[in-house]
Amino acid sequence: MTATAITPRKHHLLKSIGEIVGIILLVAAAKTAIAEPFYVPSGSMEPTLLIGDELLATKYPYGYNTSSLPAFVVLPTTERFLGALPKRGDVVVFRWPGDRSQTWVKRVIGLPGDRIALHDGRVSINGEPLDVRPDGTGRSEIEGGSRIPAARFIETLPGNREHEIFKLTANNPLDNIPETVVPPDHLFVMGDNRDNSADSRVPVREGGVGMLPVADLVGRVDGIVGSWDLGMESQPLWTWPSGFRLSRFFSAVH
């Protein structure tokens, strides 16, 4: 059987296809090894993160496993390579233990072995209540784009890491949690909008996070690359550009 010669046109086509495949593989590798963008659909992390923020989660701080793959790839968890624990106060993206095709974002409050409790909404770590001081009021976005008043506070974690939190009500069922020990290879995570967050205070079977397995970590949120006010969807199309929150573009997350 004689071989069929590849014409210049076919050679050019094959080269173009190869370049496209190479670009796709390069992007996938970058999203796996370096960073991946994520969109914020809820207000559970207000005031730190707003609905409509576009986040950039860096992958390398906590090492790599199957959770580090692009979000649309869902595989059973594996051991982490170059693994490292987050620090208290890190804002992290993770695969929700209840459905690993979903990615959520919360703040790390407790590390393995920490004793975590809440009394009247105040967090205690290893028997020491966190310092919380009032910081005026803010506006929390709820469904439909409307906003309600929220008391704002500055919470200080061990190591003097400060962040803002919202409290919508004085009394919430999740304000009092008996002391519990964070198991090995797990984390205690919370949303900064304390009355609007299904986090480690809520078991997975009830729609929360429960104790988050370290194996489900995707990456650390270091910055916001863009933001658009979703409330503008109900406005005329020509007004939509005014919904871009330019002050949040390429801003750091603390």
Side-chain angles (χ1 to χ4, degrees), residues 96-109:
W96 180 45
D99 178 357
R100 299 186 69 253
S101 67
Q102 298 183 30
T103 51
W104 290 21
V105 58
K106 303 290 181 189
R107 188 181 297 275
V108 175
I109 300 296

Side-chain angles (χ1 to χ4, degrees), residues 48-101:
T48 305
L49 303 176
L50 305 181
I51 298 173
D53 281 350
E54 190 80 15
L55 310 176
L56 195 63
T58 51
K59 302 286 187 74
Y60 56 84
Y62 310 137
Y64 305 94
N65 69 349
T66 50
S67 296
S68 310
L69 295 170
F72 62 87
V73 180
V74 181
L75 295 173
T77 55
T78 58
E79 294 293 326
R80 299 190 82 84
F81 173 68
L82 300 176
L85 284 175
K87 297 178 181 178
R88 295 188 194 91
D90 283 1
V91 178
V92 298
V93 172
F94 56 90
R95 295 183 184 252
W96 180 45
D99 178 357
R100 299 186 69 253
S101 67

Side-chain angles (χ1 to χ4, degrees), residues 89-151:
D90 283 1
V91 178
V92 298
V93 172
F94 56 90
R95 295 183 184 252
W96 180 45
D99 178 357
R100 299 186 69 253
S101 67
Q102 298 183 30
T103 51
W104 290 21
V105 58
K106 303 290 181 189
R107 188 181 297 275
V108 175
I109 300 296
L111 301 177
D114 281 346
R115 294 178 286 113
I116 307 295
L118 276 89
H119 180 68
D120 291 338
R122 189 173 183 180
V123 179
S124 293
I125 301 178
N126 299 323
E128 293 293 331
L130 299 185
D131 180 68
V132 179
R133 65 181 188 273
D135 189 47
T137 59
R139 304 283 289 178
S140 176
E141 186 174 352
I142 58 176
E143 290 185 14
S146 59
R147 289 171 171 81
I148 59 175

